[in-house]
Amino acid sequence: SVIPLKKSANSAYLDLKNLLDGKIETVEKLISLKLQSHVNLIKKMADYHLDSGGKRIRALLTMGAAKLGGYSEGSRDINLAACVELIHSATLLHDDVIDESKLRRGRDTANALWGNDASVLVGDFLFARAFELMVETGNLSVLGQLSRASAQITEGEIKQMTIAGVPDTPAEDYLDVIRNKTATLFVAAAASGAEVAGASSSIIGSAHDYGMQLGMAFQIMDDAMDYSLSSDDMGKNIGDDFLDQKITLPLIIAYSDGTDAERQFWQRTIGEGAFADGDFEAACAILQRYD
């Protein structure tokens, strides 16, 4: 079940936050500084989006990897952590527009309040501020890592669009999507954190691998929760992935191992988008066999 996994992840998050002695508050202040703009709507929307309750997992991962690498003085780890969070927040703004999402972390999305055009442009603003912070790290290798990650995130999102509505998608294609869409930023956060600390290639490699595995697990768990928890637990509307005909690992497993009748159900719903009342509950009932 994903519920114990969620509790375990929360415990690990608190341990890491305590280990970093309040540095995350400094990251928050830097992000707020970078959001300053003479255009009031940009500041208003960016503040609203970034104040929506995210745990800054990627920022903590960045600074944790830097600490592992022996970084103790200076602020390059903080700059880098803020940069990673701005990239992540920019992609979420764009994702909500693409997915037509109305709820994130229990609050109305920015696009639900201010419209799609403004959300896309504010997302672009966050990307631009993130790249300013990348340059300020003074490390070309780190700049390259985060630039590549930004491109890979876009590739993952586009590939996810191409497999939507195809219930017989191979698991390998799904894993490739989440590797690019989600895990690549975890990788860049961890590896670049170790690199700005001047860590050995062995430690940087270990940080890279840890970021990859954590990012993959994070997205798989998030996808599974879409079929298993209430909207209060999720902070978003449950069943969005189902109604958006998204291909996720629970669906791939259920389709692969399902009966002919179940496959016909997935083809009608996910494949054709021909939804009827009670379909989401039926989908959850099928997936309960795999808990």
Side-chain angles (χ1 to χ4, degrees):
S1 172
V2 297
I3 297 175
L5 286 173
K6 184 180 180 183
K7 290 180 179 178
S8 176
N10 284 340
S11 176
Y13 158 78
L14 291 173
D15 288 344
L16 180 56
K17 188 175 181 181
N18 291 334
L19 180 68
L20 292 169
D21 298 325
K23 274 194 168 186
I24 196 66
E25 285 76 14
T26 307
V27 173
E28 297 284 4
K29 290 177 182 177
L30 178 57
I31 289 173
S32 180
L33 179 64
K34 285 295 179 182
L35 295 182
Q36 298 300 317
S37 171
H38 67 276
V39 179
N40 183 58
L41 182 60
I42 292 177
K43 183 72 166 62
K44 187 176 181 179
M45 288 181 65
D47 280 345
Y48 177 85
H49 179 68
L50 285 158
D51 287 344
S52 61
K55 291 184 175 179
R56 308 289 187 254
I57 294 172
R58 294 155 190 82
L60 290 169
L61 182 60
T62 303
M63 294 185 292
K67 188 177 182 69
L68 177 68
Y71 194 82
S72 58
E73 295 183 4
S75 60
R76 288 199 297 167
D77 60 334
I78 291 170
N79 284 11
L80 192 56
C83 170
V84 169
E85 279 301 321
L86 286 171
I87 292 173
H88 174 58
S89 294
T91 62
L92 291 184
L93 278 169
H94 289 168
D95 286 352
D96 285 342
V97 171
I98 293 168
D99 296 339
E100 300 180 355
S101 299
K102 302 302 179 187
L103 191 68
R104 179 176 289 280
R105 296 169 184 157
R107 304 174 74 195
D108 292 333
T109 55
N111 55 298
L113 295 174
W114 289 284
N116 290 341
D117 292 351
S119 292
V120 170
L121 291 171
V122 171
D124 292 344
F125 177 82
L126 296 185
F127 267 124
R129 291 301 198 207
F131 274 83
E132 286 181 0
L133 284 167
M134 281 188 217
V135 173
E136 289 172 16
T137 65
N139 187 310
L140 286 177
S141 178
V142 166
L143 179 61
Q145 283 188 55
L146 291 171
S147 299
R148 286 192 297 273
S150 299
Q152 288 174 316
I153 290 168
T154 303
E155 289 177 336
E157 291 288 352
I158 292 173
K159 184 166 183 176
Q160 180 174 260
M161 292 172 60
T162 67
I163 65 173
V166 185
D168 61 347
T169 294
E172 291 76 12
D173 286 354
Y174 163 78
L175 294 173
D176 187 54
V177 166
I178 67 169
R179 186 178 297 112
N180 285 298
K181 185 184 80 165
T182 301
T184 186
L185 190 55
F186 280 80
V187 168
S192 61
E195 187 153 348
V196 295
S200 66
S201 58
S202 175
I203 290 178
I204 294 171
S206 295
H208 174 285
D209 294 345
Y210 179 78
M212 176 63 74
Q213 299 305 319
L214 180 62
M216 297 292 282
F218 182 94
Q219 188 61 56
I220 290 170
M221 186 173 76
D222 188 69
D223 290 342
M225 287 194 295
D226 194 69
Y227 285 95
S228 61
L229 297 180
S230 72
S231 58
D232 290 339
D233 292 319
M234 284 288 288
K236 65 179 184 180
N237 295 322
I238 59 169
D240 277 354
D241 288 351
F242 179 71
L243 295 174
D244 289 340
Q245 299 168 261
K246 284 187 179 179
I247 304 303
T248 58
L249 192 57
L251 167 66
I252 290 171
I253 293 172
Y255 186 86
S256 175
D257 294 346
T259 64
D260 288 343
E262 288 170 348
R263 290 188 181 189
Q264 289 172 10
F265 168 81
W266 295 119
Q267 184 58 45
R268 173 177 63 81
T269 54
I270 298 297
E272 300 169 15
F275 297 105
D277 289 344
D279 278 346
F280 179 65
E281 290 75 12
C284 290
I286 293 171
L287 291 168
Q288 281 180 356
R289 297 208 315 264
Y290 303 96
D291 282 352

